[in-house]
Amino acid sequence: MSTSGIELTVGLTRSATQGETGMGGMRPLERPIDVELVELTKVFDNGVVAVDRVSLQIHQGEFFSLLGPSGCGKTTTLRMIAGFEHPTSGEVLIEGRPMGNTPPFRRNVNTVFQNYALFPHMTVYDNVAFGLRMKRIPRDEIARRVREALQLVRLQGFEERYPRQLSGGQQQRVALARALVNRPRVLLLDEPLGALDLKLRKEMQLELKHLQMTVGITFIYVTHDQEEALTMSDRIAVMNAGRVLQVGTPVEIYERPSSRFVADFIGESNFLRGRVTEVGPGEVTVALDGGFPISVRCDQPPARGTEVTVAVRPEKIRIAPAEAPEANGLVRGRVEEVIYIGTDTFYVVRITDETVVRVRSQNDRNRLDGGQLLPVGTPVSLDWAPDAARVLTE
Amino acid sequence: MVVAERVRPDQQILKWRERIVEVIRQREGLRALLLAGPGGLWLLLFFLLPIAIVFAYSFAHRGPYGTVAWAFTIENYTRFFDWLYIRVFLVSVWLALLSTIICLVIGYPFAYVIARAPRRWRNALLVLVLIPFWTNFLVRTYAIMLLLRADGLINNALLWLGVIERPLPMLFTPFAVVLGLVYGYLPFMILPIYASIEKFDFTLVEAAQDLGANTWHVFWRVLLPLTLPGVLAGSILVFIPSVGAFVTPDLLGGGKVVMIANLINQQFLTVRHWPFGSAVSFVLMAIVLAATMLYFRLGEGRRV
Amino acid sequence: MTSEATMPSALVLPKRRWRVSFGWLALYLNVVLAFVFLYAPIVVMSIFSFNASRQMQVWMGFTLDWYVRMLHDERVRIAAQNSLIVALVSTLVSTVIGTLAAMALERTRFRVKRLYEGAMYLPIIVPEIVMAIALLVFFNLAFTWLDRLFGLQLNFGLGTITIAHIAFSFPFVAVVVRARLADFDRTLEQAAQDLGATDWQTFRYITLPLLMPGIIAGALLAFTLSIDDFVITFFNAGVGSTTLPLEIYGRVRRGITPDVNALSTVMLLASIVLVLGSLLLQRRRTA
C-alpha cells in the first residue's frame, strides 16, 4: 500500500475517530475484546457437529485467523459471527453484547465472501454504495465514502464497471471496499484469496495485511492455508473437527505445537513414538521405539512410563555420516531417499523397520556438487537441540 | 442505480412493513403458506377438484337429456372394451408412436448438426427452429391443410409435373394427421436432444476412435447412450401431446381419423354422455401417466 | 476426426474422409429438408394471403384486400380484444402465483411439499382435452350450485377462460422461475444482509432483480400459452367470448377463405416479433 493511500484513508479508519493515540501504544491483548465466542456449538439438522464448544476472545485491531482443514468448522464459526447461522448452543458476543438471533443486517460486522458475492447486476460503485444506501446515508456522503474506499483498494476509475468486467484480483478488492466502506467493527474474511492464482495470492496477502494495519479494524480471517495464516496473522486458532486445538501467535503455533495435529498441520513434523523413562526438571528422557533414549525439553512433563510422541521438524535435524567425528547423534539410521530441491535437500532416513525420519538440510555451503549429497544407503546419525523437539501426549 | 432512485415511503408505513416482514421471517410455516398458498388454492379449486369430479362422473349413469345420474356403475369402463372404442384407442397410440419415431429420426441428426455448428450459428439455427414453434398451433395446422388440400400446392405441383392424373386425397387421412403431429411437435424432440448433445464431451469420440471404434460404433456405443436422456425427454414430450391431440385429428383427420380426444369431445358436446366421456378421459390419463412412469423408469436406469 | 489426421496409414485416409463427408452431406440434407418442412406451410400460407384470387390454387396477382377486410372485420377485432384481455390478465396472475410457488418450493420447507410439487406438475402432463372437459364439468356444476344456493347467475365467458388459462400457465411459470432460483447464488443475499439490507431490501434489490430474467421468461411463456390455447378455451368459452384461435377454428370449419390466411399471417408475424424481441431483450441483459 502506497503512503498516499494511507493518508487518503484517514476518514475510513475507526481509530482516527475514536482514539488512535489511546489504542496505539497498547499491545493487542491488552486492548478491549471485540468478539467473544463462549462455548459456541453448532449441530446441523443432519446431526453433524460442525462447531464444538468453541471459546475465543478476539481483541480490537487484531488480525486473527481461524486455520484448519476443510470441514473443520472454521467457516461455520465465521458464519455464526456474521449471523448467517444460529448457534445450537453457546453465544457470540460482539463488543460485549450477546448476539442471540440478531439478524446479519443488525450486526456491526461485514464479510468478504469466498467467491466475493459481488452483485452482478450492479456497477462497482453501486456494489460499494449498497451498504450505505441500506442505512439511508445522505447521497453526497455516500459518494465521498465510496470514493475513499475505492482509493483505499486502488480501484479509482472503475466505478462504472460491472463485476464480470473485472479480473479476480480486482473483484476481490471491490469486495473488500464494499465491506470496509461501512466501517464495521469487525471484518470477517472467508478464504478471500482462495480463488486467486498463487502469485496474486502472495501479493494480496501482503496488501491485506497492510490494509488491516491502515484501517485498524479487527480482521477475522478463515483459511486452510497455513502459510497464509502464518504470514498475516497476529494470532491463529487452529481448528479440527469442530474444536479449537490451539490458539497463539504464529511463532507459538509453529515452534510449540501442543498436539500432534497442530504439529502436523502447520509445517511438517516427524513423529517418533516412545515411552518416558526419566523425568527431570523441565526435561524428560524418552526411550524411542527403536531403543534410543533421548532427552527432550518439556514444560509439563508427563509421568514416567507414559506413552508419548516426540515431534521434531525436519529442518531442525542435523544429519551427518555415522562415521564422521561430529556424529555423536541422538538417532542412527540409513539414508533411504535423497530429494534435491535447490535451496535444500530432503533426506528420508530409516531408523527402525517401522519408522522413517524426514530431514531437511539447507544447501548453504559455498559449492555443492552432487558428490557432497549423502548417497542412498549411507549410515547416518541424526541430532537436534533439546528444545527443538516437543513431547506430545495426545 | 436502482437503489438510489427509490422514493422514501412514510416512516410509519416503513416500520409496519418491517415488523410484518420480521414476523414472516421468523415463522417458516407462515412463509411457506403465504408463498405456496395462492398457487395451491388455484390448483386445488381449478384443477384437482375438477379432475376429481370427472373421476366421480366416470362411475355415474347418464340421465335424461344428457344429465348425470348419481348411481354407481363401472359400465362406462366396460363399455370401452367395445371394438369401436378399442380401435380409437389403438389408432391414437399407433399414430402418436409413429409421430414420435418420425420426430426422432428427423430430430436427432438435426439436433446433432445444430449442436456441432459453430457457436455463432447455433443460436440463429435454434431461433429458426423456435419461430414455427411459437406460432399459434391452429395457424400451423391450418397452413398444413392449405398444402394438403385437393387443390393445394402439393397436388397442383404433382399434377403439373405429370406424376399424377387426379389429385391425391391427402387431407383427412392418417397420413395428414401424422404429418400435422410431426409438424406440431418436432421442436419438442429437437430441443432436449440438442441440449444433451451440446453437453456431450466430444473428446470421448476421439477416445473411442483412438481405441479402434468406427463411426457406427462411436454412434451406438458412445454418443447415443450418453445422449439418451435427451432422446427420452424428447420422445415423452412428443408422445404425450400427440396421444391426446384434439385439433390435429379434428382438422386434418376431418372426422375420418378419430383419436381419443375426438371421442371425448364427441361424448361431451355431441352425444352428451358425460359419464362415458369422463371414463374415456381417465383412460387417456392412464395412458399418459403410464408413458410418464415408463420415462422415469428408463431415465432412472440410465443414471449411472 | 482430428485423431485420423495423425494416423500413420496414408492409404486409409482418403477413403475414410470421403465417407465422413458423405455422412455430413446426409446430415446437412436432413437439416435443409427439415427447415423446408418447418417453413414451407407457413410461407405458402403467407404468400397466398396476398393472392388476388378467391380461389386459392392459382396466383392471380398481388393484393392487400384480405388484410383491409380483416381490419374492418368486427368479429376479428372482438376476438383479438378477447384474446389480449385473457392473455394479459392470466399472464399477470400466473406470473405472480407461479413465482410465489417457485419461491415456496425452492426456499421453504413444509409438510406437504412433495405432494404440492407433484400436483404442480400434473397440469403440465395431463392432456389438454382432459383438463378442458374437467373444467367444463366443474364450472357447470359450480354455476348450478351457485344459482341454487345463492341465486347467483354465472355463465361461461372470459372469466372462465381466464381462470382456466391461469390454471395451466402458472405451473409453467413456477418451473421456469424455479430453475432460475435453483441456480441462484445465495451468498449474494447473505452479502446484502451482511451489508445491512433487511429481508425486504434484500428481496427488493437483490433477489428480484436477479430473478427478473426468469420471471420475464415465465411471463412470456404464460402469455404465449394463453394466446395460443385452443382446446381448453374451446370447452370453456361462452357467448361473445370468442378468442382468435376460436375465430380461426370457426372459419376453417366453415371452409377455407383467404381472409383466414391474412389473419394467420398477422398472428405469425406477431409471434416472430415476440420471439425475436424477447431474445434481443435477453441478449441486452446478459451482454
Side-chain angles (χ1 to χ4, degrees), chain B:
Chain B
M1 304 267 289
V2 204
V3 186
E5 253 86 73
R6 58 163 306 146
V7 199
R8 251 193 219 199
D10 184 44
Q11 289 293 330
Q12 195 59 37
I13 297 175
L14 204 86
K15 210 170 266 174
W16 272 103
R17 196 172 64 189
E18 289 296 330
R19 196 168 298 170
I20 293 166
V21 170
E22 189 68 34
V23 171
I24 296 171
R25 169 193 176 82
Q26 279 162 3
R27 298 196 40 197
E28 189 171 18
L30 182 65
R31 205 161 68 228
L33 188 70
L34 286 174
L35 292 173
L41 200 68
W42 211 279
L43 214 56
L44 207 66
L45 207 57
F46 301 119
F47 181 75
L48 295 176
L49 184 59
I51 295 278
I53 295 171
V54 172
F55 188 64
Y57 271 12
S58 73
F59 293 103
H61 280 286
R62 184 188 182 209
Y65 317 112
T67 53
V68 177
W70 291 107
F72 182 84
T73 175
I74 56 160
E75 193 194 302
N76 297 311
Y77 287 97
T78 51
R79 189 171 163 210
F80 195 79
F81 287 99
D82 188 331
W83 175 242
L84 190 69
Y85 303 121
I86 295 272
R87 224 180 84 89
V88 172
F89 167 83
L90 288 178
V91 163
S92 298
V93 173
W94 163 239
L95 292 184
L97 270 180
L98 197 63
S99 306
T100 308
I101 291 165
I102 293 172
C103 280
L104 182 58
V105 170
I106 301 174
Y108 196 98
F110 190 97
Y112 181 82
V113 172
I114 298 182
R116 297 293 278 159
R119 193 164 281 279
R120 63 207 140 87
W121 288 21
R122 247 182 255 169
N123 283 334
L125 287 168
L126 279 177
V127 170
L128 280 179
V129 174
L130 277 175
I131 283 173
F133 182 52
W134 281 58
T135 307
N136 190 296
F137 192 82
L138 216 66
V139 168
R140 281 186 289 162
T141 310
Y142 170 68
I144 295 262
M145 284 180 82
L146 280 183
L147 279 186
L148 295 185
R149 269 150 42 110
D151 59 352
L153 197 73
I154 294 178
N155 268 322
N156 275 341
L158 291 176
L159 284 170
W160 184 74
L161 286 171
V163 181
I164 51 171
E165 285 169 3
R166 252 167 296 138
L168 275 178
M170 285 186 290
L171 203 54
F172 308 143
T173 60
F175 164 75
V177 174
V178 170
L179 192 77
L181 291 176
V182 171
Y183 188 63
Y185 302 125
L186 182 60
F188 277 144
M189 185 64 88
I190 292 173
L191 294 178
I193 296 181
Y194 164 79
S196 64
I197 295 180
E198 217 242 339
K199 268 187 289 180
F200 178 77
D201 176 8
F202 273 90
T203 54
L204 292 178
V205 170
E206 288 172 7
Q209 284 175 335
D210 186 64
L211 296 168
N214 61 27
T215 310
W216 185 251
H217 281 137
V218 167
F219 176 74
W220 283 104
R221 300 281 180 83
V222 182
L223 185 61
L224 190 61
L226 286 172
T227 52
L228 205 63
V231 171
L232 290 175
S235 302
I236 195 82
L237 285 177
V238 173
F239 180 81
I240 285 184
S242 295
V243 79
F246 170 65
V247 176
T248 314
D250 189 62
L251 290 179
L252 296 174
K256 296 204 179 84
V257 183
V258 179
M259 289 175 70
I260 300 178
N262 308 106
L263 179 61
I264 296 172
N265 171 45
Q266 196 187 48
Q267 293 303 318
F268 270 90
L269 297 190
T270 323
V271 184
R272 290 196 71 85
H273 194 325
W274 286 19
F276 182 55
S278 300
V280 178
S281 298
F282 262 84
V283 171
L284 178 57
M285 285 240 285
I287 297 171
V288 167
L289 286 181
T292 315
M293 246 123 93
L294 185 71
Y295 163 72
F296 281 118
R297 183 65 58 81
L298 287 174
E300 244 156 53
R302 281 286 145 192
R303 217 174 296 137
V304 186

Side-chain angles (χ1 to χ4, degrees), chain A residues 21-334:
Chain A
T21 43
M23 227 60 89
M26 286 165 96
R27 297 188 40 205
L29 291 186
E30 294 161 354
R31 291 179 193 157
I33 293 167
D34 257 358
V35 175
E36 184 168 9
L37 311 181
V38 184
E39 294 280 307
L40 195 64
T41 301
K42 177 73 188 181
V43 184
F44 283 120
D45 288 347
N46 56 11
V48 172
V49 182
V51 177
D52 189 5
R53 283 163 289 158
V54 166
S55 295
L56 287 171
Q57 293 183 335
I58 298 159
H59 295 262
Q60 198 178 92
E62 243 192 317
F63 196 121
F64 191 92
S65 289
L66 295 171
L67 173 64
S70 63
C72 73
K74 56 192 191 301
T75 295
T76 309
T77 305
L78 197 76
R79 289 171 61 81
M80 282 193 280
I81 300 172
F84 302 132
E85 310 273 1
H86 296 307
T88 311
S89 67
E91 190 66 84
V92 174
L93 293 94
I94 298 176
E95 297 173 273
R97 280 203 314 275
M99 284 293 116
N101 282 350
T102 307
F105 50 85
R106 296 210 192 98
R107 295 185 185 208
N108 195 9
V109 298
N110 284 118
T111 307
V112 175
F113 290 82
Q114 189 166 12
N115 61 354
Y116 318 138
L118 298 180
F119 306 129
H121 59 305
M122 293 184 192
T123 60
V124 168
Y125 184 93
D126 289 335
N127 262 286
V128 178
F130 188 86
L132 302 177
R133 282 177 179 154
M134 292 303 113
K135 293 191 194 80
R136 299 174 201 287
I137 281 167
R139 200 183 267 240
D140 47 342
E141 194 189 334
I142 292 180
R144 189 173 53 74
R145 281 168 68 173
V146 171
R147 196 174 57 241
E148 282 173 8
L150 286 176
Q151 272 167 351
L152 181 69
V153 297
R154 294 183 291 134
L155 274 180
Q156 309 98 302
F158 287 81
E159 287 84 353
E160 295 312 311
R161 300 267 191 105
Y162 281 90
R164 62 175 171 277
Q165 297 167 318
L166 302 177
S167 70
Q170 289 167 337
Q171 288 184 10
Q172 144 89 105
R173 287 207 280 254
V174 174
L176 269 169
R178 185 177 71 173
L180 287 172
V181 78
N182 302 294
R183 300 175 187 166
R185 187 82 185 179
V186 180
L187 189 70
L188 309 174
L189 302 100
D190 185 6
E191 307 233 9
L193 307 181
L196 304 178
D197 62 50
L198 187 67
K199 192 162 176 293
L200 197 55
R201 195 155 69 219
K202 297 265 183 213
E203 274 173 39
M204 284 301 294
Q205 281 173 13
L206 295 176
E207 203 169 317
L208 259 179
K209 180 67 188 167
H210 286 147
L211 190 69
Q212 191 261 343
M213 293 197 291
T214 309
V215 296
I217 292 174
T218 311
F219 275 33
I220 303 180
Y221 191 97
V222 159
T223 182
H224 66 272
D225 183 337
Q226 42 116 351
E227 202 184 314
E228 201 167 281
L230 293 176
T231 311
M232 300 196 286
S233 316
D234 293 323
R235 283 196 304 151
I236 299 170
V238 183
M239 290 185 73
N240 187 38
R243 309 221 55 182
V244 169
L245 299 180
Q246 191 174 0
V247 185
T249 63
V251 173
E252 284 166 355
I253 296 278
Y254 188 84
E255 298 293 338
R256 294 193 289 283
S258 65
S259 62
R260 184 181 170 132
F261 179 85
V262 175
D264 200 24
F265 189 74
I266 316 285
E268 205 184 343
S269 286
N270 291 299
F271 297 106
L272 307 169
R273 292 163 56 78
R275 184 187 296 273
V276 176
T277 54
E278 254 178 72
V279 181
E283 207 175 77
V284 290
T285 305
V286 178
L288 296 182
D289 274 4
F292 312 98
I294 58 170
S295 96
V296 185
R297 198 156 296 171
C298 191
D299 299 332
Q300 291 162 310
R304 267 183 64 171
T306 317
E307 292 276 356
V308 292
T309 303
V310 175
V312 56
R313 299 206 180 270
E315 76 273 14
K316 311 262 186 199
I317 302 175
R318 290 188 296 270
I319 184 168
E323 63 274 14
E326 72 267 26
N328 52 352
L330 300 167
V331 176
R332 281 166 185 272
R334 197 176 282 273

Side-chain angles (χ1 to χ4, degrees), chain C residues 209-278:
Chain C
L210 287 174
L211 218 51
M212 231 3 151
I215 295 175
I216 289 174
L220 229 64
L221 187 61
F223 187 83
T224 318
L225 286 170
S226 170
I227 280 276
D228 209 31
D229 180 72
F230 168 72
V231 179
I232 291 168
T233 315
F234 180 66
F235 283 87
N236 290 283
V239 182
S241 64
T242 306
T243 60
L244 277 176
L246 293 193
E247 185 63 32
I248 294 179
Y249 180 78
R251 291 180 187 219
V252 170
R253 286 308 293 264
R254 263 180 276 132
I256 287 171
T257 50
D259 50 343
V260 180
N261 285 24
L263 181 55
S264 301
T265 306
V266 169
M267 288 177 68
L268 170 69
L269 223 61
S271 50
I272 291 175
V273 169
L274 202 71
V275 175
L276 293 183
S278 67

Side-chain angles (χ1 to χ4, degrees), chain A residues 350-367:
Chain A
R350 182 161 294 282
I351 55 170
T352 68
D353 283 348
E354 291 90 37
T355 320
V356 291
V357 172
R358 287 170 65 85
V359 179
R360 181 174 181 144
S361 163
Q362 206 177 344
N363 300 327
D364 55 356
R365 269 152 284 176
N366 291 338
R367 298 171 278 109

Side-chain angles (χ1 to χ4, degrees), chain C residues 145-162:
Chain C
W145 279 99
L146 284 176
D147 189 15
R148 213 176 277 173
L149 291 178
F150 307 109
L152 216 58
Q153 302 263 343
L154 293 174
N155 223 323
F156 285 93
L158 291 184
T160 48
I161 297 175
T162 310

